């Protein structure tokens, strides 16, 4: 910018802007202008980061089933009990209740039903290319089927798997049954 252009700009700004006029007066009187302060850039505040959600305890479905059998049928109590001091009649009476209550738990969670509906001893046909998880052939087995034979055991299969959802803490992840404490 040339000096003439600068002089015209100072003239017109001094004429129409009171602050510029004051500053020009300061310079002309020999006083220095205050340093032009430029605002410092605002410090960037980091975005708040949400803490990670607490880790859910890892629990085996097998422990949940075992806990249900204990809670509803006292199954683990029965298995862990020393039976040597009891008579066969006492053991049989206890086993009857555990059998009934455990069956209710298993049916509720798994809806167990026979793989084959026929009675044991009935003539059945096992299709060619059968699934070995659904049929186990015994006796004189040859070829690829279909196979004719007698039903010796109807097998079992689950119609559902409704294992409870664990909502406890990490410390309780392996608990099968809580310790019971009577406060006196």
């Amino acid at each position: 910018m040339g000096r003439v252009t600068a002089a015209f700009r100072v003239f017109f700004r001094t004429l129409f802007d009171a602050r510029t006029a004051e500053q020009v007066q300061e310079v002309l009187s020999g006083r220095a202008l205050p340093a032009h302060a430029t605002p410092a850039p605002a410090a960037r505040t980091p975005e708040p980061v949400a803490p990670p959600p607490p880790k859910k305890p890892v629990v085996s479905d097998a422990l949940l089933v075992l806990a249900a059998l204990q809670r509803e049928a006292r199954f683990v109590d029965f298995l862990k009990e020393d039976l040597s001091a009891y008579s066969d009649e006492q053991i049989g009476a206890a086993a009857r209740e555990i059998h009934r209550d455990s069956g209710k738990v298993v049916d509720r969670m798994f809806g167990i039903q026979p793989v084959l509906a026929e009675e044991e001893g009935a003539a059945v046909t096992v299709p060619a290319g059968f699934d070995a998880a659904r049929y186990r052939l015994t006796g004189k087995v040859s070829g690829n089927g279909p196979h004719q034979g007698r039903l010796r055991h109807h097998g079992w299969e689950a119609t559902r798997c409704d294992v409870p959802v664990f909502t406890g803490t990490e410390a309780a992840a392996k608990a099968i049954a809580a310790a019971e404490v009577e406060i006196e």
Side-chain angles (χ1 to χ4, degrees):
M1 174 183 325
R3 292 172 64 190
V4 174
T5 303
F8 276 109
R9 289 189 68 199
V10 169
F11 172 76
F12 285 107
R13 293 240 356 227
T14 302
L15 186 62
F16 297 108
D17 182 19
R19 183 160 194 277
T20 301
E22 290 174 11
Q23 291 175 335
V24 168
Q25 193 68 17
E26 294 280 326
V27 170
L28 292 177
S29 66
R31 291 185 290 249
L33 290 175
H36 190 63
T38 54
R44 298 189 71 183
T45 54
E47 294 287 325
V49 177
K55 292 175 69 176
K56 289 185 175 181
V58 177
V59 178
S60 166
D61 286 349
L63 284 179
L64 295 173
V65 172
L66 193 57
L69 288 170
Q70 169 60 21
R71 183 177 54 251
E72 298 178 35
R74 308 295 286 191
F75 182 73
V76 176
D77 287 346
F78 179 74
L79 295 179
K80 299 300 285 181
E81 183 71 36
D82 178 10
L83 300 179
S84 61
Y86 298 103
S87 70
D88 288 348
E89 291 78 25
Q90 290 173 313
I91 296 169
R96 185 178 307 281
E97 289 182 32
I98 293 166
H99 177 269
R100 180 195 62 229
D101 296 341
S102 295
K104 288 178 184 176
V105 171
V106 170
D107 284 341
R108 186 185 71 242
M109 289 184 180
F110 303 108
I112 292 177
Q113 67 181 20
V115 173
L116 295 179
E118 289 86 351
E119 294 291 323
E120 290 181 357
V124 294
T125 301
V126 177
F130 66 91
D131 185 336
R134 293 182 53 82
Y135 298 95
R136 184 168 63 94
L137 302 182
T138 61
K140 299 175 185 172
V141 181
S142 64
N144 295 326
H147 302 278
Q148 303 291 324
R150 295 274 170 206
L151 182 63
R152 297 296 178 217
H153 187 274
H154 49 67
W156 297 110
E157 65 185 355
T159 60
R160 62 182 173 271
C161 185
D162 294 333
V163 176
V165 176
F166 180 73
T167 58
T169 64
E170 183 73 33
K174 291 187 178 177
I176 296 169
E180 296 177 10
V181 178
E182 181 179 1
I183 308 300
E184 297 176 356

